[in-house]
Amino acid sequence: MVVLDGLDDMVGGDKTARDVISRLASIASKYPNLQAITTTQSKLETASKAKSQPFEVTPGLTHEDLRIVIDSRIQNYKHFCGRTEHAQEHLVEGLVRKAKGNFLWAVLTTVILQWEETEDGFNKLLKVVQDSPSTDLTDLVTKFTGRIDLSKPDLHQIVSLLLVAERPLSVLELKCLLQIDLGKKTSVERKTDIVRDIRLSLDPLIIVRDGLVRFQHPYIRSYLLKLQDEGKRLAKRPVAQSDMTKRLLVYCSYNLPKKSDPAFESLPKTEVSRTVSTLVLTKYAVRNWIIHFQFSTMYKSRESMQLDDDFKEIFPTTTQFPLLEWAYSGFETSPFGAIQKMQLSLQVRKAVFSERHTSVLQTFIVCGQMWRDNDRTTEAANCFYDASTIGQQVLRKHHTIITICTTTFLALTENFSTTTRTELVTRKEKMLMYVIEMYKQQHGKTHDLVIRHYKMLAQLYVDIHEEHKAESVWRELREIVVVRFGKGSEEDAKVSENLTIVLKKGDKKTDVVEYETGIFDIITELEVWNVKRIKMTIELALS
């Protein structure tokens, strides 16, 4: 059984909630043993044809649940305990009926009643509550927030962080955030127990349950967000988002390894699991820092980011940071949404480090892999080209990562054809020249890989009608082939044929190939005859 609670609170509103319900209903229809329950405060109509049954939770159905909640919260209060059993039952029943199924109203009301120190004050407040024509929450929440001393930095920080958090934070995650000293750009051990601090100063608006710190109810969060947006008693939301962003980045910069080599493949799952289990805030940080950044004072648009020196100083330099972002990108609801987040992450890194940095190189690789996984060949190729170019500047000569990025770019663009020089052609030319030189140094100038990429470069020039460059390449290649296979060999004949064709296209009549033996003698010595061989022989004879 799958239970999804509070679909009303999803980012995207009712439309997203309907999409989730439809998707869940579709999955349930395929698996007879699967049952799904979703809860919302408002009725959501869906177009799903799956078998479903709406069920409205009325105050009558929650009557006994409310009785238990109210009784458990007030039973130890002195002005309640002093009453007769009948009077206690009558009091609780009156509050249950007054609540009309509203649990938040019941919880807040019982707490306010306990604030009264005298029995007379308790009775007067109880009468006000019972005689009130409505159970509006605004006055209750206002009373509670008024009692929180948000001038205390610690309480202000806790409320601000929880308001902008993308999800309820665990106690350990919140502790890690609060321990970040932005002035010193480090982590400082907290001296007090965070759970005790919350329960003493923020309960019942903010509660700790099952290891998570959360608002008692979405209404409370909405009310506090209004205060935050108005700048009343709380820093405005963009400021709080900036604070959250910087704390997350300092945490990663402080805890992740300062130096790590770039990688072409994703991190092993065991390494990711080990990292997030040891560094508890890492998972939240790598998934959400860019979201907080987008809502912060530092971000106006992709072309307009205000990054001061402090921000650049705290930004993690390690390549492990973008690799961890990649590891959790699959949790996004949309693959292209995940790519857009990573692309923005790349833009930030370029603004922080310029392009000559391994962190930027690593992020280009990650973006390239994500584009390739989604069959966006052009975008992927561009990323691997940039990664190769940066790698040639910041890594040792012919580093493995440069080789992989370059050959991946060539593989992705292998089937792209054009008859004119374009930006893509210029990029392929540069990458082919690089791999030819690299393979020469690694394997020797007569290696198959050198010959293969020389042919690719020559064909590229032929396709765009730059015969003079193609001629030069074929000449170099013939010298290599003669050394490797011998003068007059089949390979020599093929290269000479291509050179002859290029010279004819370039309208050059100069003799360029000399044979120690006749063409027909050479061909006769070869073991295999076919139509192509005969055609090549005639062409050579006529050239």
Side-chain angles (χ1 to χ4, degrees), residues 264 365 381 383-392 398-413 427-436 438-439 453 456:
F264 193 77
I365 292 174
C383 288
F384 289 123
Y385 172 82
D386 288 330
S388 174
T389 303
I390 296 170
Q392 293 174 48
H398 302 152
H399 191 285
T400 303
I401 287 295
I402 307 174
T403 303
I404 297 174
C405 290
T406 304
T407 54
T408 302
F409 167 81
L410 292 173
L412 289 169
T413 58
R427 290 185 168 196
K428 286 186 72 172
E429 177 186 41
K430 180 180 176 181
M431 294 293 100
L432 285 167
M433 287 180 172
Y434 173 82
V435 293
I436 289 170
M438 177 196 65
Y439 286 139
H453 286 89
M456 290 173 64

Side-chain angles (χ1 to χ4, degrees), residues 453-465:
H453 286 89
Y454 256 125
K455 289 179 179 179
M456 290 173 64
L457 181 59
Q459 188 59 50
L460 180 68
Y461 289 139
V462 170
D463 291 342
I464 62 173
H465 308 295

Side-chain angles (χ1 to χ4, degrees), residues 10-28:
M10 290 191 67
V11 175
D14 288 354
K15 181 182 182 303
T16 304
R18 290 190 188 94
D19 291 342
V20 170
I21 293 174
S22 297
R23 178 67 186 275
L24 190 59
S26 176
I27 295 172

Side-chain angles (χ1 to χ4, degrees), residues 35 79 87 89 133-134 168 173 272-273 321 328 339 388 399 401 413 444 463 472 476 488 535 540:
Q35 292 182 311
H79 299 310
E89 290 180 359
S134 70
E173 287 173 333
V272 175
S273 298
F321 190 41
Y328 283 102
I339 295 174
S388 174
H399 191 285
I401 287 295
T413 58
D463 291 342
S472 176
E476 290 181 41
K535 182 180 178 182
L540 287 172

Side-chain angles (χ1 to χ4, degrees), residues 116-135:
E116 294 297 329
E117 296 183 358
T118 66
E119 186 173 0
D120 184 54
F122 176 85
N123 291 330
K124 287 181 179 179
L125 180 57
L126 181 62
K127 189 175 188 310
V128 169
V129 169
Q130 291 172 335
D131 292 344
S132 176
S134 70
T135 54

Side-chain angles (χ1 to χ4, degrees), residues 5-284:
D5 185 26
L7 288 184
D8 316 70
D9 298 324
M10 290 191 67
V11 175
D14 288 354
K15 181 182 182 303
T16 304
R18 290 190 188 94
D19 291 342
V20 170
I21 293 174
S22 297
R23 178 67 186 275
L24 190 59
S26 176
I27 295 172
S29 66
K30 296 177 183 178
Y31 302 95
N33 293 330
L34 176 63
Q35 292 182 311
I37 297 175
T38 61
T39 67
T40 61
Q41 288 186 339
S42 56
K43 187 176 181 180
L44 293 175
E45 298 290 344
T46 66
S48 173
K49 296 180 181 179
K51 183 179 179 181
S52 61
Q53 180 179 351
F55 184 84
E56 183 179 358
V57 180
T58 62
L61 293 172
T62 60
H63 188 92
E64 288 304 314
D65 295 320
L66 264 173
R67 178 189 295 279
I68 293 171
V69 169
I70 293 173
D71 188 61
S72 65
R73 285 184 164 270
I74 205 172
Q75 62 181 341
N76 294 323
Y77 182 49
K78 59 183 179 180
H79 299 310
F80 178 79
C81 296
R83 296 170 182 256
T84 64
E85 183 176 347
H86 176 75
Q88 290 178 357
E89 290 180 359
H90 180 74
L91 189 155
V92 170
E93 180 63 25
L95 292 175
V96 170
R97 293 186 180 281
K98 186 66 179 180
K100 296 178 181 178
N102 192 324
F103 281 80
L104 180 59
W105 181 91
V107 169
L108 296 182
T109 298
T110 54
V111 174
I112 287 179
L113 286 170
Q114 293 177 65
W115 288 347
E116 294 297 329
E117 296 183 358
T118 66
E119 186 173 0
D120 184 54
F122 176 85
N123 291 330
K124 287 181 179 179
L125 180 57
L126 181 62
K127 189 175 188 310
V128 169
V129 169
Q130 291 172 335
D131 292 344
S132 176
S134 70
T135 54
D136 182 63
L137 292 169
T138 304
D139 289 342
L140 286 174
V141 176
T142 301
K143 288 179 181 179
F144 274 93
T145 55
R147 290 175 65 92
I148 300 175
D149 188 359
L150 292 175
S151 63
K152 292 182 178 179
D154 193 50
L155 295 182
H156 187 282
Q157 194 71 66
I158 291 173
V159 175
S160 293
L161 290 172
L162 293 177
L163 281 173
V164 298
E166 286 295 300
R167 58 161 173 76
L169 299 171
S170 72
V171 172
L172 292 177
E173 287 173 333
L174 182 57
K175 181 180 179 181
C176 289
L177 284 168
L178 294 172
Q179 288 182 159
I180 296 298
D181 187 326
L182 290 178
K184 297 179 180 179
K185 302 176 180 62
T186 188
S187 180
V188 179
E189 189 67 26
R190 185 180 178 87
K191 296 180 180 180
T192 61
D193 180 10
I194 187 171
V195 175
R196 182 175 180 275
D197 294 341
I198 290 173
R199 286 175 175 163
L200 284 176
S201 304
L202 298 171
D203 188 72
L205 297 184
I206 295 173
I207 59 174
V208 179
R209 184 177 298 159
D210 299 326
L212 295 177
V213 185
R214 62 174 72 233
F215 293 97
Q216 174 80 256
H217 193 276
Y219 183 88
I220 294 171
R221 183 173 183 270
S222 298
Y223 180 88
L224 290 170
L225 280 173
K226 289 180 182 178
L227 293 184
Q228 191 178 52
D229 289 338
E230 294 168 358
K232 294 180 179 179
R233 304 179 63 206
L234 287 167
K236 285 199 170 185
R237 205 181 310 190
V239 176
Q241 293 282 14
S242 295
D243 181 72
M244 172 68 93
T245 304
K246 292 177 180 179
R247 288 175 184 275
L248 293 173
L249 293 176
V250 170
Y251 178 85
C252 291
S253 184
Y254 180 77
N255 289 286
L256 294 176
K258 298 297 183 288
K259 292 183 179 180
S260 56
D261 293 329
F264 193 77
E265 302 296 335
S266 58
L267 292 172
K269 290 183 179 180
T270 53
E271 184 177 343
V272 175
S273 298
R274 184 171 61 251
T275 301
V276 299
S277 62
T278 306
L279 305 173
V280 295
L281 187 59
T282 305
K283 183 177 179 179
Y284 181 88

Side-chain angles (χ1 to χ4, degrees), residues 455 458 470-478 495 498-499 502:
K455 289 179 179 179
E471 176 192 348
S472 176
V473 174
W474 283 121
R475 285 181 183 276
E476 290 181 41
L477 184 55
R478 182 171 181 264
V495 172
N498 282 296
L499 181 54
V502 168

